[in-house]
Amino acid sequence: MPVESPRIESRIIEVPAGADSATQIPVTTVYGARPGPVLALIAGNHGYEYPPILALQKFREQVDPDRLSGTVVMVHVANMPSFLGRTVYFSPIDGKNLNRVYPGRIDGTVSERIAFAITKEVIEKSDYLLDLHCGDGNESLRPYVYQTVTGRAEMDAAIAELALAFGIDHILVDRGRPADPARSLYCSTTAITRGKPAMTVESGYLGTSDPQSVAQIVEGIRGVLFHLKMTDSGPAPLERAVYLDPTVVITSPETGILYPKVERDQTVSKGAVLAEITDFFGQRTAVVDAPIDGVVLYIVATPPITKGQPIGCVGTPRGASPPH
Ligand SMILES: [Zn+2]
């Protein structure tokens, strides 16, 4: 895009009422002094995940348009109904998971209309995208990033470089994402299926706003800006990382009360007990084991559990070499 005068602009993307109520998406656009790519930073696709939202508040204070090449677009709270309603995973209005309904629909329910607005107004106008998450309000999570593998060499190399530039040393090799841009489901996959390198980041846990998780996201953004040559200085990319491949999300066999038996980042062997579930009278109904050797990337650590929902995720470390 042509170079605009360097400045920071605030705006609201209006999501009009449809089948259900209207909402708003607050966006900051930072126009740099020199030409360069457009980088989109998305926080709050899940509204109970606070470190990404606070990290963008902090980054907005620090960013200097006079020293920026290109444009940074920050979505401060993608899922306002979930943020203000304090809900985990699902919108309090339509019960949908925003990060499973991309690219959305103009005539859908509110989560679908939010996804549609972000796809049209932000993703399609960007060159790169970071979708910033953490463990949701119920998830005790150690930091990691998802490195999507598409099978297309140029895209995969660009995503692998983003992962190293962000600086979180646990990289989950993710081969299972959709390839159809019309059914991309996830925010980052919406970008990737439209030819824009993108990555999902996880830093933070359990509804807290701890400064370390927030700082790690700000540092990661600075690393990616430097890598994309949008700034002249920043953290260097990682030289080594722990690649997790395969990873398994373990879902609950029962509805009831969950008792986690491991901590985030704990190393477990196949067959180790991850959690026990009881019914509402205290009778044990299930014991959930680790299906593979590996590291606990996250474990649900609050009592409510519903059959079919995630209990945790275990990934097997495959050493420091990037995957092919
Ligand atoms: Zn999330």
Side-chain angles (χ1 to χ4, degrees):
M1 63 168 54
V3 181
E4 312 238 3
S5 54
R7 65 190 189 277
I8 300 179
E9 253 182 32
S10 308
R11 69 185 167 115
I12 297 287
I13 298 176
E14 300 285 350
V15 179
D20 43 26
S21 51
T23 189
Q24 296 185 321
I25 306 169
V27 175
T28 294
T29 306
V30 186
Y31 296 96
R34 294 179 297 277
V38 179
L39 171 65
L41 306 172
I42 316 283
N45 265 309
H46 292 135
Y48 213 113
E49 298 176 0
Y50 302 137
I53 293 167
L54 298 182
L56 289 194
Q57 298 293 307
K58 217 172 196 55
F59 178 71
R60 192 187 195 279
E61 288 171 10
Q62 295 177 2
V63 66
D64 181 356
D66 290 321
R67 303 180 70 169
L68 181 71
S69 300
T71 305
V72 179
V73 179
M74 287 178 249
V75 172
H76 291 289
V77 182
N79 195 342
M80 194 62 80
S82 175
F83 178 70
L84 294 178
R86 300 190 180 98
T87 55
V88 167
Y89 299 157
F90 306 114
S91 169
I93 296 177
D94 63 15
K96 291 178 181 166
N97 181 338
L98 174 57
N99 206 29
R100 298 294 184 277
V101 301
Y102 280 88
R105 297 161 53 105
I106 196 169
D107 59 349
T109 60
V110 68
S111 297
E112 293 164 332
R113 298 198 309 279
I114 292 170
F116 182 83
I118 291 174
T119 300
K120 292 291 167 199
E121 295 294 321
V122 180
I123 299 174
E124 290 185 352
K125 295 176 179 174
S126 302
D127 301 308
Y128 297 90
L129 178 142
L130 299 177
D131 185 24
L132 306 168
H133 289 249
C134 64
D136 218 320
N138 55 331
E139 292 171 340
S140 180
L141 178 145
R142 69 100 62 228
Y144 64 95
V145 301
Y146 288 91
Q147 179 179 317
T148 300
V149 176
T150 66
R152 287 174 285 132
E154 203 175 322
M155 173 62 76
D156 290 350
I159 296 171
E161 286 176 5
L162 282 181
L164 292 171
F166 200 87
I168 289 179
D169 76 343
H170 276 50
I171 298 176
L172 188 157
V173 180
D174 192 0
R175 305 172 196 281
R177 294 286 173 106
D180 179 358
R183 290 186 177 75
S184 49
L185 304 183
Y186 303 86
C187 181
S188 63
T189 311
T190 305
I192 291 168
T193 54
R194 284 160 179 74
K196 303 145 193 295
M199 184 171 73
T200 303
V201 171
E202 303 276 353
S203 173
Y205 50 85
L206 285 176
T208 59
S209 313
D210 66 297
Q212 195 183 339
S213 298
V214 174
Q216 192 157 32
I217 296 168
V218 175
E219 277 301 282
I221 293 167
R222 293 182 61 238
V224 168
L225 286 172
F226 182 43
H227 161 67
L228 296 175
K229 300 185 169 59
M230 296 175 72
T231 52
D232 294 333
S233 63
L238 292 172
E239 290 177 7
R240 312 170 57 78
V242 176
Y243 289 90
L244 301 152
D245 186 19
T247 52
V248 179
V249 174
I250 300 99
T251 54
S252 182
E254 298 288 348
T255 294
I257 299 177
L258 180 80
Y259 294 85
K261 299 296 179 186
V262 292
E263 305 278 341
R264 63 175 180 269
D265 205 30
Q266 187 173 327
T267 299
V268 294
S269 301
K270 182 178 176 177
V273 175
L274 297 178
E276 293 180 3
I277 300 166
T278 71
D279 64 17
F280 298 102
F281 305 98
Q283 295 298 310
R284 193 164 73 189
T285 52
V287 177
V288 178
D289 297 340
I292 54 173
D293 293 340
V295 177
V296 176
L297 294 170
Y298 66 83
I299 182 82
V300 169
T302 60
I305 195 70
T306 302
K307 185 175 180 175
Q309 284 190 356
I311 281 180
C313 178
V314 176
T316 307
R318 287 294 176 211
S321 307
H324 297 287

